[in-house]
Amino acid sequence: MPRRPASLTVEVRRTAAREDPAVPPTFPFSAIVGQDEMRRALLIAAVDPSVGGVLVFGDRGTGKSTAIRGLAALLPPMAAVAGCPYACDPGEPAGLCPHCSGRSGARKAQAIPVPVVDLPLGATEDRVVGALDLERALTRGEKAFEPGLLARANRGFLYIDEVNLLDDHLVDLLLDVAASGVNTVEREGLSIRHPARFVLVGSGNPEEGELRPQLLDRFGLAVEVTTPTDLPTRIDVVRRRDAYERDPAGFCAAYAKADRSIRKTLAAARARLPALTVPDATLEAAARLCLALGTDGLRGELTLMRTARALAAYEGAETVSLDHLARIAPSALRHRLRRNPLDESGSTARVARAVEDVLAR
């Protein structure tokens, strides 16, 4: 039997998972209690993938994985070249895609779900980058490339749970691909280059180890989540989780309208984003804020600008204001600060002080 293209396989499996009554539906994004900063950061990354991904660090059992997987169900479908294992955009040149570059004429398009791919901690390098298709090699004597997880994640999201426990050789690989947007495979007589542009989303518990600085810098936003300390919130979380586990379909149906509303807002924000400009005063404030905090390089300013613009687009604002800048500054800058041995306060408190000092002028 001929093998399905990888993109079609992903689509069939995701559709089947939604229709199979044995597989419970994903916990609704709109049903998550609290954790406003985390939810906002994930929505911003969905509006503008160029912000550079989201890192969610915090206590166990605070809804990190639940929120990330719930976001996947909200993403509007995207247009892709039919049969392309890399889900290429039919409106763009074939570029580096080995599937599309050899074809002439118009490429047929189809609507597919935005890929959200899990990268397991125990994944081998071959599984991540791709390798020789052993089935075709043994049965037909052909050398063919079997795309890996990076190919499936192209134009979508790559999610790594417990990202701080990822093997160093996989971290090095991800750094190369995240910087270039291209995955290069040279092995077993194969020489393949294919597009691999994705939004990197990671979660973890800081008690289990720190993240390598090189990988930390690749995340546009870093969010801290903590266990709720107020009684009503804790009760609401437990009540909703118990209701979901007792009747997943009924619980999700109760929040279907709220999820549809978020999905429509996301689509509208994406359409609004290209026309939204950042005023010079807001851009100057972003630069002054980074100067006050002593961040290295200019990635802080770029992230501040893009994130504030995406937030303004999501909220339907006509311009990017200092208020948008102030609200996203902790997420965009807390992981870019140098350690200050003379300042015992945490990075979040340092950013908050700088926001108050700089933006209040």
Side-chain angles (χ1 to χ4, degrees):
M1 180 181 292
R3 295 170 63 86
R4 288 195 198 96
S7 59
L8 296 183
T9 303
V10 174
E11 183 176 12
V12 169
R13 285 178 180 171
R14 291 189 65 185
T15 304
R18 290 171 183 165
E19 296 176 354
D20 187 353
V23 179
T26 303
F27 191 91
F29 189 84
S30 59
I32 296 172
V33 181
Q35 309 298 6
D36 295 337
E37 186 186 14
M38 174 177 65
R39 291 188 295 148
R40 182 173 61 210
L42 291 173
L43 290 171
I44 285 172
V47 172
D48 185 4
S50 71
V51 301
V54 181
L55 175 65
V56 184
F57 251 28
D59 302 336
R60 303 181 189 90
T62 48
K64 300 185 296 293
S65 300
T66 299
I68 293 164
R69 293 191 169 95
L71 177 70
L74 298 178
L75 301 174
M78 68 179 190
V81 175
C84 177
Y86 311 98
C88 285
D89 187 343
E92 295 183 356
L96 295 170
C97 174
H99 177 271
C100 300
S101 58
R103 297 190 171 192
S104 59
R107 294 172 292 171
K108 184 179 179 182
Q110 66 177 0
I112 65 170
V114 173
V116 180
V117 178
D118 284 6
L119 195 160
L121 289 179
T124 63
E125 187 172 337
D126 285 351
R127 180 71 181 117
V128 176
V129 302
L132 179 70
D133 188 334
L134 292 178
E135 181 179 338
R136 290 178 64 177
L138 294 174
T139 59
R140 306 181 194 176
E142 301 176 353
K143 283 187 177 181
F145 180 63
E146 177 72 15
L149 297 177
L150 297 182
R152 286 177 50 190
N154 186 42
R155 301 180 62 210
F157 290 73
L158 182 66
Y159 172 50
I160 310 173
D161 194 11
E162 306 295 348
V163 63
N164 48 325
L165 303 181
L166 197 65
D167 290 340
D168 283 345
H169 73 283
L170 292 182
V171 171
D172 293 335
L173 188 154
L174 285 175
L175 287 172
D176 290 340
V177 176
S180 65
V182 176
N183 180 35
T184 302
V185 183
E186 301 276 356
R187 60 179 63 190
E188 298 163 340
L190 292 173
S191 179
I192 299 290
R193 298 181 74 214
H194 69 77
R197 295 182 176 87
F198 46 80
V199 177
L200 187 61
V201 180
S203 64
N205 182 354
E207 294 180 357
E208 297 172 350
E210 295 185 352
L211 202 63
R212 280 178 53 181
Q214 297 91 337
L215 184 57
L216 180 63
D217 189 53
R218 283 294 166 188
F219 287 97
L221 303 175
V223 177
E224 295 176 349
V225 293
T226 58
T227 304
T229 56
D230 61 295
L231 188 61
T233 299
R234 295 175 75 103
I235 292 174
D236 201 10
V237 170
V238 173
R239 182 183 291 117
R240 292 191 189 190
R241 189 68 198 185
D242 181 63
Y244 166 75
E245 292 178 355
R246 285 173 175 269
D247 181 12
F251 183 84
C252 292
Y255 288 90
K257 183 177 180 180
D259 269 8
R260 283 196 300 269
S261 177
I262 296 176
R263 188 179 298 113
K264 290 180 180 178
T265 304
L266 273 177
R270 288 180 171 183
R272 189 182 299 115
L273 186 67
L276 200 59
T277 59
V278 181
D280 289 343
T282 304
L283 188 56
E284 180 184 340
R288 285 194 284 109
L289 186 58
C290 290
L291 278 172
L293 288 166
T295 58
D296 292 328
L298 297 174
R299 195 166 285 163
E301 283 93 332
L302 285 169
T303 303
L304 276 172
M305 179 190 69
R306 291 168 179 167
T307 308
R309 183 171 55 199
L311 178 60
Y314 184 80
E315 295 181 345
E318 296 182 358
T319 186
V320 183
S321 67
L322 294 181
D323 176 67
H324 295 122
L325 202 65
R327 286 157 57 197
I328 55 86
S331 300
L333 298 178
R334 62 160 58 95
H335 59 305
R336 305 183 191 279
L337 305 187
R338 300 177 185 175
R339 295 184 184 273
N340 186 352
L342 301 179
D343 190 345
E344 296 182 356
S345 59
S347 57
T348 301
R350 290 169 60 189
V351 174
R353 287 202 308 264
V355 166
E356 185 176 352
D357 293 340
V358 173
L359 301 188
R361 294 177 186 174

